[in-house]
Amino acid sequence: MIMSIYICRVACKKIGGIRFKFEGNGYWLLVYVMNVGGPGDIKTMAVKGSRTGWINMSHNWGASYQAFSSLYGQSLSFRLTSYTTRQTIYAYNAAPASWSAGKTYQSKANFN
């Protein structure tokens, strides 16, 4: 017996913005990305401090990205691009200047 199987990708419906959990130290920022809506995937990610330009982050593992830069004392914004749809979104001021490792911050931005 031969069966036809059809697979389709369904957009993830998430409530609220993308969440960023911070780890690391003064010279290394590791960010776990959660609650990603729309396609549910991330191809690239960058961080921008209130006193820096955009810094490309490298993929660590799973849904975590890292930047080797001193960003303490700066509010942080993120730029994320979906692998599937190539859509880019900006999570401006996702974390306050008083951010710290071990805490999670929620943005207002999310993929559609």
Side-chain angles (χ1 to χ4, degrees), residues 29 36 38 40 48 55 78 81 92 97-98 105 110:
L29 175 65
V36 179
K48 181 184 182 313
I55 300 166
F78 295 95
T81 300
Y92 291 109
S98 61
Y105 302 92
N110 210 331

Side-chain angles (χ1 to χ4, degrees), residues 14-86:
K14 300 289 184 176
I15 296 172
I18 292 176
R19 291 191 295 267
F20 304 94
K21 181 174 185 202
F22 289 12
E23 297 296 341
N25 57 44
Y27 303 97
W28 174 63
L29 175 65
L30 178 66
V31 180
Y32 298 99
V33 185
M34 301 170 284
N35 200 46
V36 179
D41 57 27
I42 299 169
K43 180 180 182 186
T44 61
M45 186 167 156
V47 62
K48 181 184 182 313
S50 52
R51 296 187 306 269
T52 70
W54 287 105
I55 300 166
N56 289 325
M57 301 179 80
S58 59
H59 182 245
N60 185 285
W61 60 268
S64 63
Y65 289 80
Q66 61 192 359
F68 295 95
S69 184
S70 179
L71 295 166
Y72 272 146
Q74 300 180 58
S75 59
L76 302 180
S77 299
F78 295 95
R79 180 181 67 208
L80 301 97
T81 300
S82 164
Y83 181 80
T84 304
T85 66
R86 307 288 194 254

